[in-house]
Amino acid sequence: MVSGPEALRRLDRSMRDIRDEEISLTRSSADASAKIARLREVESEQFLALAKLRLDPKRRAEVTDYISRAEKDANEMLQRHGSKLDELSGLLADVDKDIEATRDKRDAAMADYEAAQKKLDQLSADVFADLDKDANYQAQKQAVDDAVATFNHADEKAGVAEKDREEKGAPYRNDPLFMYLFERGYGTNAYKASNITRLLDGWVARMVRYHDAKPNFVILNEIPMRLREHAEHLQDDIETERQKLDALEDAAFDAHGGKEARELADRSEEIISAIDARLVELEDQRDELVHRQRKFSEGQNPAFREAVDMLASGLQREGLEDLYAAARQTATREDDQIVRKIDAVRSEIVTLETEINATKDRLKLLAERRRELEDIEWEFKQKRYDRPSFDFDDDLVEDLLEDFLKGAVSAASYWGKWQQAQKYKGPKRRRSKDQYSNPWGASSYSGRKRRKSKDHGVFGSSSSDFSRPRSTPRGSKGKRDHGGFKTGGKF
């Protein structure tokens, strides 16, 4: 068995392994791109040597002048590119240091929390024995359960209405003429148009029977919106009732000598929550830097591409490819040596470009797997599985973790295994705010807020989705399935 803290540490180690490989591959890709640029210069030099042998003095001078200028401009661009890549690498290193330092702070706060919680756990049996006899406490527990039940009912109704909106509203949304009029606010005070446009829009409205269809469409969208708003208000009611329950429990623990431990536990929880939010920010900053660095290292930076293309296109522009073709057909020693060198350079460039493309695919998969592991760690901490009160099977952080990293198991499936395998070994009764698997004890409700969309309603994620917030659009949340994903090194 593996304790919650050790399980999180192993996930962190896997995350570091992925990040280390990303750094290594990015550096290799950057080196390969830089080598291609240098090989283009060698190629240019060989073509100049070929021009010296085969072209007349005037033509040779023109070619030499052009290629020399192209090399000079390209070198300046490549130097700027290298400086920018070094800058990104420095920023990335700083973020990595911040992430590790922040994780250390979290470990310290967690140690304080566990020390305080140990004291509270020792008191819990006596505290809840008294609370079970307290009529006010029992009434407040029932109030929380009632609030949760009311919310669950409202949430279910809102879900049904949202499903109806999606299914029954599809014909309206798929009608471009109807949606054109609807989005322009036709028939409302918001509608603004010239006389000719009004005349044409009126003709369109009669054709699609807009005035008959609009009320149905509005109602179809309005009902789920109102039901969802009502459900969200009920979430606030749950929080209000829960705070009353917490206050009764806090007073009971204080009466049994647990005030100092309780305050330390609550304070540590707040610190951990703030640290986790900071880690999300840092991880997203790092993700953005990795994305930018990858583009530079793969030679996708416009200035870099322009520099390399300038050297390559310069040869074609001056007609040197024809000179090269002619040289390949001659048998002179000088021509043959130059041709062999050009062939060798071009062959090496093709090999390097193939390596860069393979690295590009690899880095993309690594970034995807890293983001999924961030999702899993977020859910792991949200469920409070990172406490010593939980144990997990070794397979989850050994064989199954390796399968996940290789892509044999999807992120959603792997996270499901964690939820199924968790074993709680703490006391049977704890404060409501410390209930690990669910803050509300045996009851449950969907606490995920929906966001209003431009598309006449609201949208949200299903309960199976990952809930980690993202400040960057790359990647997706929820169930994911992947094919063969083989990692290097440890996994």
Side-chain angles (χ1 to χ4, degrees), residues 77-214:
M77 292 180 184
L78 292 172
Q79 288 177 2
R80 291 195 295 271
H81 173 82
S83 297
K84 185 62 177 179
L85 192 56
D86 290 341
E87 178 186 346
L88 288 173
S89 297
L91 292 173
L92 190 57
D94 290 341
V95 172
D96 281 338
K97 290 179 182 178
D98 285 346
I99 288 176
E100 293 305 314
T102 304
R103 290 191 186 282
D104 290 341
K105 291 178 182 178
R106 191 184 196 278
D107 290 341
M110 182 60 72
D112 289 341
Y113 173 83
E114 290 302 333
Q117 194 63 52
K118 184 177 181 180
K119 172 66 174 177
L120 295 175
D121 289 346
Q122 293 170 350
L123 299 173
S124 63
D126 292 338
V127 169
F128 283 105
D130 290 346
L131 286 175
D132 286 341
K133 303 172 186 176
D134 188 329
N136 289 335
Y137 179 74
Q138 295 304 317
Q140 190 55 45
K141 277 186 67 178
Q142 187 61 49
V144 171
D145 290 341
D146 290 344
V148 170
T150 302
F151 168 81
N152 283 336
H153 180 66
D155 184 57
E156 184 178 352
K157 287 181 64 178
V160 171
E162 287 165 351
K163 183 178 180 181
D164 284 345
R165 182 195 62 210
E166 294 306 311
E167 294 177 354
K168 297 178 181 179
Y172 298 93
R173 292 190 300 272
N174 293 335
D175 186 333
L177 296 178
F178 173 83
M179 291 306 298
Y180 159 77
L181 295 172
F182 186 84
E183 291 176 351
R184 286 180 62 86
Y186 182 78
T188 70
N189 293 332
Y191 179 68
K192 305 292 182 184
S194 65
N195 291 334
I196 294 178
T197 301
R198 285 176 180 271
L199 181 65
L200 292 173
D201 285 349
W203 175 75
V204 171
R206 290 190 295 275
M207 182 177 65
V208 299
R209 301 180 64 183
Y210 178 77
H211 292 292
D212 294 333
K214 179 189 171 184

Side-chain angles (χ1 to χ4, degrees), residues 106 276 279 377-384 386:
R106 191 184 196 278
D276 286 342
L279 281 172
E377 283 201 358
W378 172 264
E379 299 294 346
F380 190 87
K381 290 183 281 190
Q382 290 299 297
K383 288 287 188 180
R384 306 191 182 194
D386 57 330

Side-chain angles (χ1 to χ4, degrees), residues 258-275:
K259 182 177 181 180
E260 183 178 351
R262 178 185 62 78
E263 290 179 343
L264 177 58
D266 291 345
R267 187 165 59 251
S268 299
E269 281 274 62
E270 292 176 358
I271 293 172
I272 291 170
S273 178
I275 288 174

Side-chain angles (χ1 to χ4, degrees), residues 181-314:
L181 295 172
F182 186 84
E183 291 176 351
R184 286 180 62 86
Y186 182 78
T188 70
N189 293 332
Y191 179 68
K192 305 292 182 184
S194 65
N195 291 334
I196 294 178
T197 301
R198 285 176 180 271
L199 181 65
L200 292 173
D201 285 349
W203 175 75
V204 171
R206 290 190 295 275
M207 182 177 65
V208 299
R209 301 180 64 183
Y210 178 77
H211 292 292
D212 294 333
K214 179 189 171 184
N216 295 331
F217 186 61
V218 170
I219 292 174
L220 203 57
N221 284 286
E222 193 71 16
I223 290 176
M225 288 177 64
R226 295 290 175 259
L227 290 175
R228 181 56 59 196
E229 289 173 358
H230 175 61
E232 290 175 355
H233 287 312
L234 292 176
Q235 285 182 299
D236 297 334
D237 294 343
I238 294 176
E239 180 63 19
T240 299
E241 297 301 330
R242 185 190 67 81
Q243 289 176 357
K244 294 177 184 178
L245 187 68
D246 290 344
L248 292 172
E249 291 180 353
D250 290 348
F253 273 97
D254 292 354
H256 283 75
K259 182 177 181 180
E260 183 178 351
R262 178 185 62 78
E263 290 179 343
L264 177 58
D266 291 345
R267 187 165 59 251
S268 299
E269 281 274 62
E270 292 176 358
I271 293 172
I272 291 170
S273 178
I275 288 174
D276 286 342
R278 176 58 179 159
L279 281 172
V280 166
E281 294 177 359
L282 289 172
E283 287 170 349
D284 284 354
Q285 287 179 24
R286 189 185 189 283
D287 184 59
E288 183 61 28
L289 286 170
V290 167
H291 178 69
R292 291 169 57 193
Q293 185 191 48
R294 193 171 73 212
K295 290 180 66 176
F296 271 78
S297 68
E298 293 167 358
Q300 296 181 39
N301 172 251
F304 180 87
R305 292 308 317 164
E306 183 180 353
V308 177
D309 291 345
M310 184 180 295
L311 291 171
S313 63

